[in-house]
Amino acid sequence: MATFPVINLEKLNSEGRAATMEKIKDACENWGFFELLNHGIPHDFLDTVERLTKEHYKKCMEQRFKELVASKALEGLQAEVTHMDWESTFYLRHLPESNMAEIPDLTDEYRKVMKEFALKLEKLAEELLDLLCENLELEKGYLKKAFYGARGPTFGTKVSNYPPCPTPDKIKGLRAHTDAGGIILLFQDAKVSGLQLLKDGEWIDVPPMRHSIVINLGDQLEVITNGKYKSVEHRVIAQTDGARMSIASFYNPGSDAVIYPAPALLEKEIEEKKQVYPKFVFEDYMKLYAGLKFQAKEPRFEAMKAMETTVPIATV
């Protein structure tokens, strides 16, 4: 079985650059996921994020989750539950404007740290998009510009905890799906596993590694690359032992950004009359995705293709 791609970004600044870029290219083309080490975010800072996130869950979220489990009768499940997930979450919005001040129960220290974390992740996301441009032979900055609407990109964080589950065979931590957006940066628990991706018909574990950032590609990058890079189905398996922390940050197009395959990548496809992905406004895709998240992505692309004629022409 192929080994899950783990990439040391430190090697980009040495004679190992070409091999590292090749690893990133292979991960984008064949996995849709990879794990980054030496990504530039200090380890002690990540330790602080983890400590404050786990403290916040214990103090503010754990009891609410227990009450939810009781109210939904999820404790001793006999039949499989397919309409909800075994997770406790809250959402932080960073761009185009922050909602951090509106989230109740966050300590001043936690707010400050998560604001700083968002800035570091935004910088890393934009650096990664430029590495993808380099591998795709697109001009530097193309993907960042493609994500820009009138107010720039959309960027937000889903903070999740997956508590121990007595019946993991009956309910998923998070049901299988692809991510709708652009590029996703995940800081996950270093000890408790659960995240899996679908590759060649098999579910493969994404290994927990201390201080790593897991990257995965969303549906919009599949469209812009016209399928050269793919968004990949993934899920979270609930565990009987240990609570798993997951902090997933989504660097997405602006709501009014017009998404379409990069013309520079289409020349061969047009010559060979291959399938070309649709053109659409990102917000329209998200409206469709909201009701179809846990279904296959292909019908979503087909639906957007049917709407394509109404999208105004725009170029990056």
Side-chain angles (χ1 to χ4, degrees), residues 219 222-223 277-278 285 297-306:
D219 295 348
E222 179 166 337
V223 172
Y277 277 69
Y285 187 85
K297 64 188 170 183
E298 289 78 13
R300 298 198 292 265
F301 291 148
E302 287 304 316
M304 297 319 294
K305 206 165 184 61

Side-chain angles (χ1 to χ4, degrees), residues 124-179:
L124 179 58
E126 291 177 353
E127 286 170 1
L128 287 168
L129 288 176
D130 276 345
L131 294 176
L132 268 54
C133 283
E134 190 177 328
N135 273 335
L136 290 161
E137 297 180 4
L138 295 171
E139 64 177 287
K140 187 175 181 179
Y142 181 91
L143 290 172
K144 183 179 170 182
K145 282 185 205 161
F147 281 21
Y148 261 52
R151 302 171 68 199
T154 307
F155 187 44
T157 298
K158 177 187 176 189
V159 182
S160 306
N161 278 276
Y162 297 93
C165 177
T167 53
D169 57 325
K170 298 289 191 289
I171 188 168
K172 296 284 182 293
L174 181 59
R175 288 160 285 169
H177 63 288
T178 64
D179 288 326

Side-chain angles (χ1 to χ4, degrees), residues 49-89:
V49 171
E50 181 173 355
R51 174 178 61 81
L52 292 173
T53 299
K54 289 183 173 179
E55 283 175 6
H56 177 264
Y57 174 72
K58 278 279 181 204
K59 185 180 164 207
C60 305
M61 308 284 287
E62 189 172 43
Q63 187 55 37
R64 282 181 220 163
F65 185 75
K66 286 177 179 172
E67 288 166 8
L68 174 75
V69 166
S71 70
K72 301 283 186 185
L74 298 177
E75 197 63 66
L77 292 172
Q78 300 300 313
E80 190 174 359
V81 171
T82 56
H83 65 283
M84 62 187 298
D85 304 302
W86 187 271
E87 65 172 354
S88 168
T89 64

